[in-house]
Amino acid sequence: MEYPYNLDFKLRLSVETMSMKWVPSPLTGVDRIMLERESPESGRTTSIVRYASNMFFNEHVHTQGEEIFVLSGEFIDERGTYPAGTYIRNPSGSKHRPGSSKGCVLFVKLGHFDSDDQKVVRINTNFETWLQGHGDLKVMPLHQFKTESTALVKWPKGCKHVPHSHFGGEEILVLSGIFQDQFGSYPERTWLRNPHLSNHHPFSDEGCIILVKVGHI
């Protein structure tokens, strides 16, 4: 892999992560699927990460923050235990000793936080209330800072949204179902990144739930 990897933010990206091979990390028992990466083991990073059971990192610091969504299994650090569906934000300068007793799969973003964003977030989305969004969409806000906004969005079967553009870009991870737009269909665990001021016309014939971040590119 050449670095930087997938960091040309003018490009529209779509990656079906379920069809990709896991790549071992330097720590035995932790594997990764790279989505974007500034350098081999530092800098801005987005990836799917898999922990084997009884796998723990040593305590370490995240100089530019860490954002996690637990996709399956159970993630652990010294603050608690986090089942699938938990959203976590650790601000710049924070430290922890993460791992998993049972094994888990995570969506992880590193090195992209605004240094002024110091909010610690722990949300088990399984117990949060869905709010009314545009049209038939349901929304679960997770975090907002300046132009950046992160949320879950639930698309009912047959839902179509109006064509629109994204100031500051848009990033999506499909959590369940199939998300669609005029460019294609995106099954579970597809990762999408749309550039600043890009346009699309999204819909979902069968319904889906997506993790969405906007305003950060």
Side-chain angles (χ1 to χ4, degrees):
M1 179 179 292
E2 295 184 0
Y3 300 98
Y5 176 68
N6 281 346
L7 287 184
D8 184 348
F9 298 117
K10 299 183 183 67
L11 299 179
R12 182 184 177 278
L13 298 179
S14 169
V15 181
E16 290 191 19
T17 68
M18 295 287 260
S19 64
M20 297 181 69
K21 293 182 178 180
W22 292 98
V23 177
S25 78
L27 184 63
T28 301
V30 177
D31 302 320
R32 303 177 293 198
I33 294 172
M34 308 298 190
L35 300 175
E36 57 179 18
R37 199 167 189 87
E38 188 173 345
S39 60
E41 296 301 327
S42 63
R44 185 185 178 107
T45 301
T46 301
S47 55
I48 307 291
V49 179
R50 181 177 65 184
Y51 283 69
S53 59
N54 297 314
M55 184 65 247
F56 286 85
F57 276 96
N58 292 327
E59 185 178 78
H60 56 275
V61 176
H62 291 290
T63 56
Q64 290 182 281
E66 177 184 51
E67 185 175 28
I68 295 170
F69 193 89
V70 184
L71 298 173
S72 66
E74 194 174 77
F75 180 65
I76 298 172
D77 67 13
E78 56 269 49
R79 295 185 176 184
T81 300
Y82 314 106
T86 303
Y87 174 75
I88 299 165
R89 285 180 73 94
N90 296 314
S92 299
S94 61
K95 60 183 179 180
H96 67 161
R97 183 178 179 268
S100 182
S101 297
K102 299 178 180 180
C104 63
V105 177
L106 313 172
F107 176 66
V108 180
K109 294 184 69 66
L110 300 169
H112 67 281
F113 280 22
D114 187 309
S115 60
D116 292 332
D117 184 0
Q118 288 293 308
K119 187 174 183 179
V120 175
V121 180
R122 302 285 189 276
I123 299 174
N124 185 338
T125 66
N126 299 294
F127 299 104
E128 295 296 308
T129 301
W130 290 97
L131 306 179
Q132 185 62 51
H134 294 289
D136 294 329
L137 297 176
K138 300 294 184 181
V139 178
M140 186 184 297
L142 299 175
H143 183 70
Q144 184 164 357
F145 185 80
K146 295 182 179 177
T147 62
E148 177 187 343
S149 179
T150 306
L152 295 184
V153 181
K154 182 188 292 185
W155 293 69
K157 183 177 180 180
C159 182
K160 289 179 168 54
H161 196 19
V162 296
H164 59 279
S165 62
H166 296 283
F167 185 89
E170 176 189 52
E171 184 178 347
I172 292 171
L173 182 69
V174 182
L175 300 179
S176 64
I178 299 178
F179 178 71
Q180 296 160 279
D181 63 15
Q182 71 270 37
F183 303 111
S185 296
Y186 315 105
E188 181 179 346
R189 294 202 189 168
T190 299
W191 178 74
L192 304 167
R193 196 183 70 202
N194 295 314
H196 172 57
L197 295 181
S198 59
N199 292 271
H200 72 157
H201 187 185
F203 61 97
S204 181
D205 289 336
E206 73 168 46
C208 64
I209 296 176
I210 58 177
L211 175 67
V212 182
K213 181 186 290 293
V214 296
H216 67 297
I217 298 173

